[in-house]
Amino acid sequence: MPVELTGPEIDAFLARPLVATLATYRRDGTVLLSPVWQEWRDGCFHLVVSHGDVKAAHVRARPQAGIVVAEHGTPYRGVEAHGTAELVDEGYPELAERMVARYLAGVFPPELDRDGHVLRLEPERLRAWSFSDWYPG
């Protein structure tokens, strides 16, 4: 069985520049899975979403969302969370700058909007795991 991660282990894991998968819901109830950059801060996930992004429309219509952050190498740690997402109009430029520094070594691509929403996902359920016990060393 995988071992559960502690609060400090979760914080350290989520501080890494790992691409997450966000689940939002379309009008017909089907799930849209989107690769996203994430920032874990104050017990919530924070994501950058442009004004015209379909994820923003999904959250407005149905705010339930989920996110998974998992590494693709041993010990295969991960965090899964579900909760209510909200769009926040403040803080986008600062978050986008932190994301670019974290994921792109500070080179702001022209394709990334300089204005948008912060999608804030506060976990109502959070599950974290590690298969570290399965690997010696």
Side-chain angles (χ1 to χ4, degrees):
M1 293 297 294
V3 295
E4 292 185 20
L5 298 175
T6 65
E9 290 171 326
I10 292 170
D11 292 343
F13 175 76
L14 293 174
R16 296 174 54 204
L18 296 169
V19 173
T21 301
L22 176 71
T24 58
Y25 295 91
R26 297 178 180 101
R27 278 182 285 170
D28 67 3
T30 59
V31 175
L32 172 68
L33 298 173
S34 304
V36 294
W37 298 339
Q38 59 81 27
E39 179 182 82
W40 175 251
R41 182 172 30 89
D42 301 326
C44 296
F45 288 95
H46 298 83
L47 319 172
V48 292
V49 177
S50 64
H51 287 294
D53 194 313
V54 70
K55 293 183 288 294
H58 291 173
V59 168
R60 281 188 201 97
R62 183 176 174 186
Q64 293 79 21
I67 193 167
V68 173
V69 183
E71 60 189 355
H72 297 281
T74 59
Y76 300 113
R77 293 172 295 180
V79 173
E80 174 191 18
H82 297 273
T84 302
E86 66 175 328
L87 297 173
V88 180
D89 290 326
E90 296 84 31
Y92 178 93
E94 297 84 4
L95 179 60
E97 289 289 340
R98 290 193 304 272
M99 295 285 195
V100 167
R102 179 177 176 177
Y103 287 94
L104 299 176
V107 179
F108 208 104
E111 297 83 10
L112 184 62
D113 290 339
R114 296 283 184 162
D115 190 30
H117 304 287
V118 173
L119 189 155
R120 182 177 177 275
L121 176 59
E122 183 172 358
E124 295 163 8
R125 294 187 322 263
L126 188 135
R127 179 174 73 99
W129 64 89
S130 171
F131 289 93
S132 59
D133 284 358
W134 292 20
Y135 298 95

